[in-house]
């Protein structure tokens, strides 16, 4: 178990499926990165357009609402750069080769030191709801495979090179929602901001009476092994 203040990252690209994923699982760490002057860019493959229980809503209205909530949350954490892609919520696992190409292109554009994404390898005996969402596993698989094989491989997508996007080798991947946590970040100094950021996703958490208690429990479980009271936990893959 590696417990550190922070990984030595400079350019961080967070690639998640829906608005709110990043704030729940890496929000406290993101705020620390921002506070320390690192460049943090968060990419959302969907606008979460199916994430509403009211059948009178439309996917378009939900998408507009959730993008606004995400922008408010990012402002609380200080994350300055957000990109919303137009993949359909719930359909990423069946979106075809465009998902891998998009992930590769974004990483070649941004040239990050660290990529944060979903752990696609849930493993036994996980089966927790966040890990079962097909969008999470689809984004995680596309991004992890892109980092290892597609982004550094010059024969993948030669049209990228023609457009000035060179192959790139990044330093590490941090996986969220993982059953195999081996890297823990202390978020005591940013936990309150994380709570406010998650609260900004009112369409998702407005019904939850004790949101802070829920997040405190999540943070305690993440740090439980190495004895960090408020933490976020990741599986860390080192590439170079
Ligand atoms: Zn999600």
């Amino acid at each position: 178990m590696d417990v550190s203040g922070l990984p030595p990252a400079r350019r961080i690209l967070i690639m998640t499926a829906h608005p709110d994923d990043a704030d729940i699982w890496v929000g406290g760490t993101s705020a620390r990165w921002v506070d320390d002057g690192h460049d943090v860019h968060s990419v959302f493959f969907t606008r979460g357009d199916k994430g509403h229980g009211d059948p009178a809503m439309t996917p378009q209205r939900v998408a507009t609402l959730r993008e606004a909530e995400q922008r408010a949350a990012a402002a609380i954490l200080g994350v300055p750069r957000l990109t919303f892609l137009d993949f359909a919520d719930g359909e990423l696992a069946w979106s075809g080769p465009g998902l891998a190409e998009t992930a590769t292109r974004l990483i070649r554009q941004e040239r990050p030191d660290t990529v944060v994404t979903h752990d696609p390898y849930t493993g036994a005996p996980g089966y927790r709801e966040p890990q079962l969402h097909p969008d999470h596993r689809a984004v995680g698989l596309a991004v992890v495979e892109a980092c290892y094989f597609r982004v550094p491989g010059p024969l993948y997508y030669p049209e990228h090179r023609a457009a000035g996007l060179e192959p790139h080798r990044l330093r590490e991947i941090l996986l969220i929602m993982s059953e195999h946590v081996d890297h823990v970040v202390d978020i005591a100094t940013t936990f309150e901001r994380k709570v406010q950021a998650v609260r900004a996703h009112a369409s998702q958490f407005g019904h939850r009476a004790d949101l802070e208690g829920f997040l405190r429990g999540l943070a305690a479980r993440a740090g439980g092994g190495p004895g960090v009271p408020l933490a976020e936990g990741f599986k860390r893959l080192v590439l170079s």
Side-chain angles (χ1 to χ4, degrees), residues 20-238:
D20 81 19
D21 290 334
D23 296 320
I24 296 169
W25 296 93
V26 65
T29 303
S30 297
R32 287 199 58 186
W33 278 325
V34 170
D35 290 350
D36 288 352
H38 300 300
D39 179 63
V40 182
H41 179 183
S42 201
V43 174
F44 307 90
F45 280 77
T46 80
R47 290 178 171 81
D49 56 86
K50 306 292 196 311
H52 207 285
D54 181 355
M57 289 289 277
T58 65
Q60 290 75 17
R61 285 172 59 202
V62 176
T64 301
L65 174 65
R66 296 196 67 186
E67 180 177 339
E69 291 174 346
Q70 182 58 70
R71 289 190 185 282
I76 292 165
L77 297 177
V79 173
R81 299 178 61 207
L82 308 181
T83 296
F84 293 89
L85 303 176
D86 287 319
F87 289 95
D89 187 5
E91 307 297 337
L92 281 169
W94 300 274
S95 61
L99 182 61
E101 189 275 331
T102 299
T104 303
R105 180 164 34 83
L106 279 164
I107 297 166
R108 284 176 170 172
Q109 278 173 358
E110 295 297 320
R111 314 190 76 71
D113 301 293
T114 297
V115 163
V116 182
T117 193
H118 304 274
D119 189 343
Y121 306 110
T122 57
Y127 305 114
R128 295 184 191 161
E129 191 174 336
Q131 300 167 329
L132 291 174
H133 197 299
D135 286 351
H136 296 165
R137 285 180 286 125
V139 168
L141 195 61
V143 170
V144 168
E145 292 183 351
C147 290
Y148 273 93
F149 306 108
R150 295 173 187 273
V151 175
L155 301 186
Y156 285 100
Y157 313 115
E159 68 272 24
H160 287 186
R161 206 160 194 193
L165 299 177
E166 295 293 331
H168 174 65
R169 289 188 183 279
L170 55 118
R171 182 192 299 164
E172 62 176 0
I173 307 172
L174 298 178
L175 298 176
I176 61 172
M177 304 181 181
S178 182
E179 287 292 317
H180 310 284
V181 167
D182 59 5
H183 186 82
V184 169
V185 174
D186 187 332
I187 60 165
T189 59
T190 57
F191 178 74
E192 291 306 323
R193 279 155 69 193
K194 171 175 177 166
V195 173
Q196 295 306 315
V198 176
R199 206 182 295 285
H201 297 278
S203 68
Q204 308 300 302
F205 298 102
H207 65 286
R208 200 180 269 271
D210 186 16
L211 180 61
E212 178 166 349
F214 164 70
L215 293 172
R216 207 170 272 281
L218 206 62
R221 275 198 300 283
V228 181
L230 293 171
E232 286 169 344
F234 309 92
K235 170 65 182 176
R236 185 177 186 223
L237 304 176
V238 178

